[in-house]
Amino acid sequence: MIDSIRLAAHSIKKITEGSTYMDLIALLAAFCGGAFGAAFGGLTAFIIVGIVGIGGVAAGMSGATFNWLGLIPFGSFYGPHIAFAGGVGAAAFAKKMGYLKAGNDIFTALVSLKQPIVLVVGGFVGVLGYILNFSFNAVFPGKVDTVALTVFVSAIIVKVIFGNHGLGDIFGETPAEIKKLGGRFSIYSTGVWIPYVNTAAEKTVIGIAAGGGAAWLTYVMMQDPAAAPYAIYIPFLLSVTSLIWLQIGVSIPVTHHISLCASYGMLISGGNLAWGLAGGVIAAFMGDLVAKLFHIYGDCWVDPPATGIAFTSAILFGILPLTGVFSLTGASSYIVPAGIVAAAILYSIVQSAAMKSKKQVEYVPVP
């Protein structure tokens, strides 16, 4: 098991580490990738990552030595920090210019706007993504998922540049009607990212279901030396591919941030399934929290899953190791992750009871 974990960790390093110098050919590929992402639309470009990534895993497990994952689905053309980010930036620009109704539209293929300048802007955002990821890899090696961090930071930059209130657009302004409902963090607020995964109970159940499944799949793949280097990617790639249904209008849960962070929890803890489950639950809540902070109030898509991955991976890789929790052995190694999951369940019960009580008070007939 330890050897399998080392193989998985080595795979991450091989896939995510950047070269020590800026590659001009990669910069050109990033421009093309950003324009490509804009042409197809951000979500479609991201779904391609899942499809191509699964093919890369199959090739690697079959013995291929080409760094498929590092150069194709996470590289300088198809990478989410390039193509998806390019689609996000181009949509915000198109709204600013009056070509698109909503700047947070990641569904529309922007080539349909018949405005080539929109694709060009997507290309420049792709270049920005390459530069940011290169920089983050140099500054935070192994401490955070730099691709996810790049998607977040590039979206914030785009939001500020193409917004109407400068730095004030980072968080956006909470509308008066939302304030009347208790503010942007209130469970009664109508300003939500995913309406059907909004309450604590909904997030906890999805976090446990998707996170538990991802942790199990990561665990079983780690038992096979041929599959171990790819163990943390398959749950993520399957979740990304499932977004095809979201693109065609089916109300499915968005789970790729949960799946990846569950696998990260498995990896950083040395294969502890409880930490895999806890990583998924943390990511489920984190995705919703950052959506309310950065995404909902504004006209640019500040991707909640990518932002959730960035923050959760920073906790798992950068902060928690400093506390020594991953050095615990035996039964004690399960205390903290079990406590995290238990806290989510308890919070869900308390919140559900409070909501039920409030509804009863609101709708009790007055004599």
Side-chain angles (χ1 to χ4, degrees):
M1 183 67 172
I2 297 299
D3 290 338
S4 296
I5 293 169
R6 288 172 179 167
L7 283 171
H10 175 73
S11 175
I12 292 178
K13 183 178 180 182
K14 181 181 178 183
I15 289 169
T16 60
E17 69 181 0
S19 62
T20 55
Y21 58 91
M22 192 99 37
D23 189 335
L24 293 179
I25 296 178
L27 275 171
L28 175 60
F31 177 84
C32 296
F36 171 89
F40 279 74
L43 183 57
T44 299
F46 187 50
I47 291 170
I48 291 174
V49 169
I51 297 170
V52 174
I54 291 172
V57 169
M61 291 175 61
S62 300
T65 58
F66 177 70
N67 183 16
W68 182 288
L69 288 180
L71 295 175
I72 310 299
F74 298 112
S76 299
F77 184 83
Y78 287 112
H81 58 305
I82 307 293
F84 175 76
V88 167
F93 170 76
K95 167 62 189 313
K96 182 76 171 180
M97 299 301 293
Y99 306 142
L100 192 66
K101 291 183 179 179
N104 57 4
D105 184 350
I106 60 171
F107 295 89
T108 300
L110 301 181
V111 69
S112 64
L113 301 179
K114 296 180 65 64
Q115 297 289 342
I117 187 63
V118 172
L119 309 190
V120 172
V121 170
F124 283 118
V125 176
V127 171
L128 173 65
Y130 176 86
I131 295 171
L132 287 173
N133 190 54
F134 178 89
S135 303
F136 292 148
N137 263 313
V139 177
F140 308 115
K143 301 300 182 183
V144 65
D145 185 315
T146 60
V147 169
L149 181 60
T150 297
V151 172
F152 166 60
V153 173
S154 66
I156 290 296
I157 292 172
V158 164
K159 193 177 184 184
V160 170
I161 291 176
F162 297 129
N164 298 314
H165 304 96
L167 295 177
D169 281 318
I170 293 177
F171 297 104
E173 183 178 353
T174 306
E177 57 269 25
I178 298 297
K179 292 179 180 178
K180 292 179 181 178
L181 295 172
R184 68 173 69 194
F185 300 110
S186 170
I187 189 58
Y188 304 106
S189 171
T190 55
V192 296
W193 167 38
I194 304 177
Y196 44 89
V197 187
N198 181 47
T199 68
E202 292 162 349
K203 288 177 283 192
T204 298
V205 171
I206 289 297
I208 290 175
W216 171 80
L217 184 53
T218 301
Y219 176 80
V220 296
M221 289 185 69
M222 281 182 171
Q223 310 310 305
D224 186 331
Y230 311 100
I232 70 167
Y233 295 106
I234 277 294
F236 169 76
L237 294 169
L238 290 172
S239 288
V240 171
T241 304
S242 74
L243 295 174
I244 291 173
W245 279 269
L246 188 68
Q247 176 74 309
I248 63 176
V250 181
S251 298
I252 65 166
V254 177
T255 61
H256 55 281
H257 56 308
I258 298 171
S259 299
L260 185 58
C261 291
S263 296
Y264 281 164
M266 282 284 294
L267 182 69
I268 192 64
S269 65
N272 188 320
L273 281 164
W275 269 113
L277 197 60
V281 170
I282 292 171
F285 278 84
M286 186 67 75
D288 187 64
L289 173 64
V290 296
K292 292 171 180 175
L293 275 172
F294 304 107
H295 170 65
I296 295 171
Y297 303 100
D299 205 12
C300 173
W301 188 273
V302 182
D303 194 54
T307 310
I309 292 170
F311 281 74
T312 304
S313 66
I315 292 171
L316 291 172
F317 294 148
I319 298 174
L320 287 180
L322 300 176
T323 68
V325 294
F326 297 129
S327 299
L328 299 174
T329 59
S332 61
S333 65
Y334 294 92
I335 294 175
V336 175
I340 291 172
V341 176
I345 294 173
L346 179 61
Y347 178 44
S348 299
I349 294 172
V350 171
Q351 185 189 78
S352 297
M355 291 175 66
K356 184 177 181 181
S357 174
K358 182 175 176 62
K359 286 181 179 179
Q360 289 175 341
V361 170
E362 288 178 345
Y363 296 106
V364 169
V366 178

